[in-house]
Structures are given as structure tokens and as C-alpha cells.
Amino acid sequence: MNILDIITRKKNGISLSYDELEYAFNGYLNKKIPSYQMSALLMAITINGMNMSETLALTDIFIKSGEEYHISDYINNSVDKHSTGGVGDTTTLVVGPMCAAMGMHMAKMSGRGLGITGGTIDKLESIPGMNLKLTKDELIEKASTVGFALSAQTSELTPLDKVVYALRDVTGTTESLPLIASSIMSKKIALGAENILIDIKVGDGALVKNQSQAEELSRMLKEIGTSYNKKVETIISDMNTPLSYAIGNALEVKEAINVLKGKKCPLYYKAVECAANLLSMTRGLDYNESIIYAEKAIETGKALEKFYEFVKSQGGRIDELELAENVIPINANKSGKIKKIDALGAAKLAAKVGASKMKLDDTIDYSVGLYLNVKEGDYVKEGDLLLKVYVNNPNIELTNSDFSFIDIEGE
Ligand code: URA
Ligand code: CA
């Protein structure tokens, strides 16, 4: 086999065999294929696509590049969820405890933030003492006893996805649907929960730009799941505006607690939707009935209790969670309707104050970020509080353009 032939075939729109994909991708992992040739192949795939049998083959090659945990062999009612990445997406921190409260078991591996979207691991690292490097045995033990356990991705599982994802990130090949589908599903299947929910984010700031792409991705994810005997459901959610009022690591942890205490806001409804979908899949319940149980998990305080139990079991000291001391209030400069709160702009401001990495070697300040006081559709009067900015550097220069992500339609 010859890598140039493989690249040329894909460039000409010919579908590749399992063996050809394996030769190219495993060759890259084993450093026999250089990154410029892998980049060319990824670009050809991004432009010409892959059919379902190629997508299934690539998923399998990703899975077989590392260990498989087979979680569902050890844990009953095992569930997993994944979001394709969003701004202020604190859903996992609410859904995990809700699932635990309803008798499901979530053993989850999460990533760090990519670009300006924050990762669940970064958020939890804001809790002093939190151990997010669990071994397979610890992950399984905690998921079975507590009901929710979370660990950072290790390179034991799908190491091939890790190197390919990093290359896609810098070669303009992140938005290929078959590459997204095989990347996500290989990680889910290598871990091995029985019931898997994928939250597909759609919007300007998201990988998936429109509804029809989201529906196509959804079909691919489900078909891959079926071929591995996994139940896969998807939900499609708008990512043009931040999901949570909080953007920033410790702030998002606090907001997850507020929602678990019953605060009704977009994050609450998204978490209920996710947890109800997982319950409905796991128990074969009607979706509307599942919604009632999911809301009850919060109402009764059980999900909140599970959150604290989860933090404690991984060594976290929630009482020591710290927010930055300097809080800058930002008020409306005119009266009117909040026409738009742009997710990307909000994330950029959070990044500017230090909540996420702009460059690879930046460090994250867990205690900083934004807390929105308004949502799209609200009416404000001039001088009303729009948001609070939490900073550690009181001399940080913030200008009007930093806040242009909030568009007020004046009268
Ligand atoms: N999330 C992933 O894990 N992989 C992708 O390719 C996109 C989103
Ligand atoms: Ca998430």
C-alpha cells in the first residue's frame, strides 16, 4: 500500500477500504506517515466526505488504537453524555448528579477546553483537591457507588483520535461530519456505556453550523451506535447564545449548584432534557414521564446531594471554591430590548480576563469570568445591570467593544 495512492483516491472522490484507512491512520499514530500527508488526507476527506462504511471503519480503527473499558460489563444502567462543545455549557455537572439521583450510573471521561470553549475538566479543577485522574478501577468503583464519576481523558483510550484531533484543529478540518462522528463515537464506545446521549450544538460559534448538518450528524452517530449495540440518542441545541448565565470555571460550578438547588434558567431546562432522555433510554420510559422524574430529582434535593457526594468522593473541597474578589458591574448604556447575546463574544471576554487559554502555554485563572444578569428577550432600562465581570487584575482595561456581544435594541 502507498500513502500517495490513498490520498489521490480520496482526492478523486473514491471511497477508501478499511485496510487503506488503517494503513494511513495507524501509520500516522506510529509516526510512519508524516503530518503533511495526514493533513492532505484529512483535507481530502473534509472536502469529499466519507460514506457510512468508511465512517464505521474509521471509528473502529480509532477504537482499536487503544484500550477498551467495557463499562457496561461492570455497571448496570450505565449512561454517558457528550456535547460537541459550547460556551457556558455546564450541563454535565448538572446532568451527572441528576442521573445518579435517578439510579443511573454515569462514568464519564471529559476533555479540556478547545479554543475558547471551556472543558468540563477545567471547570472541576476550580474545586481545590479534586482528583480528575481516575484509573479504570476507580472510575468504575465510584460510578457504581456514587452514581457519577468523572475523569480526564487518558491516552489509554483512543490515542489515535487524540493525535488526529490535534492535527484537525490546526489544519481547517474540524468541521467534517464523518470525522466528527467517528471521533465522538470512538471515545464513547471505547468507554462502553450502554446508553449514550449526544448533544449537538448548532450555531456560529459551534462546529456544526446549521440544522441540516446537525440532522446528518445525528444519523451518523446513531448508525455507528447501532453497529456496536449501543443505544444512542441525540438532541440538537442552539449555540448562538450562551447556555448558562455563568461563563468561567468556578462561576460555572457555582451556577451548576444554583441549578441543582432549583434555579429555573436555560441551563436547568437543558439539563432536564438531557437527564430525561437518558432515563427514557435506560428504563424504556415515555419521555414526558421521564421529564417529571428528572424535575423531581432536583425538587427533592437528591441531585444536589449527589453532586456534593461526587465532589467529596473525588477529594474535592467545595467550601474552598473561590471567585475573584474584584467584581466590575456593567450597566446598560440605553433602554431597550436585549436583541442578542452572542456566545462567541461572551467567550472572548471571558478569555480576555483569563478564564480560558488563548495560547497553548497560557494558564487558566479558575476564579474569573462573567455572570450575566440578562438573557435574550429581556427589557432593560438605562443603568440596569447587564453583567458582572470577575477579575483578579483590577487594572484590566475593558472597553465598550468588549461588551458589544450584548446587543440592545434601543427605542
Ligand atoms: N468532539 C469530539 O470529540 N470530536 C470532534 O471531532 C468534535 C467534537
Ligand atoms: Ca459539556
Side-chain angles (χ1 to χ4, degrees):
M1 235 176 274
N2 176 322
I3 185 66
L4 260 184
D5 286 347
I6 296 174
I7 296 170
T8 306
R9 280 160 64 77
K10 187 37 76 179
K11 180 184 76 180
N12 293 333
I14 299 165
S15 73
L16 300 176
S17 68
Y18 190 107
D19 289 349
E20 286 172 316
L21 288 165
E22 189 178 39
Y23 177 84
F25 280 84
N26 277 344
Y28 179 59
L29 181 64
N30 301 327
K31 300 194 161 60
K32 296 204 176 86
I33 307 277
S35 61
Y36 52 85
Q37 287 180 320
M38 185 39 80
S39 305
L41 180 59
L42 288 170
M43 186 56 81
I45 290 173
T46 301
I47 292 169
N48 287 330
M50 289 201 295
N51 63 27
M52 205 55 217
S53 81
E54 291 173 290
T55 307
L56 285 168
L58 188 58
T59 308
D60 206 57
I61 295 161
F62 278 148
I63 295 169
K64 292 191 172 133
S65 72
E67 271 190 53
E68 290 173 61
Y69 279 8
H70 300 289
I71 288 284
S72 67
D73 291 352
Y74 306 91
I75 303 173
N76 60 15
N77 298 324
S78 57
V79 297
D80 197 355
K81 81 162 271 288
H82 184 89
S83 142
T84 60
V87 175
D89 186 1
T90 320
T91 323
T92 297
L93 297 188
V94 183
V95 175
M98 288 174 79
C99 286
M102 294 189 285
M104 291 174 269
H105 299 107
M106 185 183 285
K108 186 168 159 50
M109 283 215 175
S110 284
R112 288 179 189 283
L114 250 191
I116 53 176
T117 64
T120 304
I121 292 297
D122 301 321
K123 293 167 198 183
L124 287 171
E125 275 179 349
S126 69
I127 306 172
M130 201 71 190
N131 172 19
L132 295 160
K133 285 200 182 104
L134 304 182
T135 62
K136 176 187 172 186
D137 290 346
E138 287 169 337
L139 185 69
I140 290 172
E141 191 264 330
K142 289 182 195 304
S144 345
T145 53
V146 179
F148 177 40
L150 204 145
S151 178
Q153 258 151 28
T154 69
S155 39
E156 284 177 354
L157 282 92
T158 61
L160 177 55
D161 172 66
K162 200 169 177 176
V163 294
V164 170
Y165 197 100
L167 188 59
R168 284 169 59 208
D169 202 29
V170 293
T171 53
T173 54
T174 48
E175 74 265 38
S176 155
L177 298 182
L179 290 179
I180 296 173
S182 43
S183 165
I184 293 175
M185 289 309 295
S186 63
K187 282 175 283 198
K188 299 293 107 179
I189 289 159
L191 195 63
E194 205 177 333
N195 307 283
I196 301 163
L197 179 71
I198 314 284
D199 184 4
I200 303 172
K201 307 285 190 206
V202 182
D204 300 334
L207 278 180
V208 179
K209 306 292 179 212
N210 59 49
Q211 184 73 19
S212 76
Q213 282 186 352
E215 284 165 10
E216 197 182 338
L217 179 59
S218 167
R219 277 193 297 277
M220 290 180 192
L221 297 167
K222 286 181 185 172
E223 198 163 332
I224 298 171
T226 305
S227 89
Y228 288 90
N229 276 320
K230 301 292 183 193
K231 284 187 223 165
V232 175
E233 277 300 332
T234 60
I235 55 179
I236 296 175
S237 24
D238 175 77
M239 203 53 252
N240 287 304
T241 199
L243 182 60
S244 166
Y245 291 126
I247 303 162
N249 299 288
L251 281 161
E252 289 187 48
V253 171
K254 275 215 171 222
E255 187 68 352
I257 294 172
N258 290 337
V259 170
L260 287 164
K261 285 179 177 168
K263 178 177 177 175
K264 304 276 165 64
C265 53
L267 178 60
Y268 169 89
Y269 294 104
K270 178 57 64 187
V272 166
E273 184 187 0
C274 289
N277 259 292
L278 286 166
L279 182 66
S280 158
M281 259 195 272
T282 307
R283 293 277 159 84
L285 292 180
D286 172 70
Y287 179 68
N288 290 323
E289 196 182 349
S290 301
I291 291 268
I292 296 170
Y293 284 115
E295 295 202 287
K296 239 183 218 156
I298 289 187
E299 247 169 60
T300 55
K302 269 195 186 156
L304 180 66
E305 239 171 73
K306 280 293 174 190
F307 177 85
Y308 289 132
E309 201 185 325
F310 149 71
V311 169
K312 198 166 162 216
S313 89
Q314 297 196 201
R317 301 183 301 272
I318 196 72
D319 298 340
E320 295 174 29
L321 186 74
E322 271 187 14
L323 297 183
E325 275 177 18
N326 303 291
V327 183
I328 306 172
I330 305 297
N331 301 317
N333 56 10
K334 61 179 171 187
S335 302
K337 182 181 175 183
I338 307 284
K339 193 172 150 200
K340 168 113 186 120
I341 300 179
D342 178 58
L344 204 56
K348 281 184 183 157
L349 176 56
K352 179 173 173 175
V353 299
S356 62
K357 292 186 185 190
M358 310 270 253
K359 299 189 299 299
L360 216 54
D361 54 358
D362 283 350
T363 53
I364 294 179
D365 185 343
Y366 296 110
S367 67
V368 301
L370 328 177
Y371 195 87
L372 296 163
N373 197 48
V374 291
K375 60 180 187 308
E376 286 183 354
D378 286 355
Y379 285 87
V380 291
K381 288 201 292 292
E382 186 179 344
D384 280 356
L385 181 67
L386 294 179
L387 74 153
K388 292 188 277 191
V389 188
Y390 288 74
V391 297
N392 269 323
N393 169 9
N395 300 319
I396 191 161
E397 248 186 75
L398 299 174
T399 64
N400 275 342
S401 70
D402 289 320
F403 304 103
S404 60
F405 69 90
I406 302 186
D407 186 7
I408 305 176
E409 198 168 45
E411 40 210 34

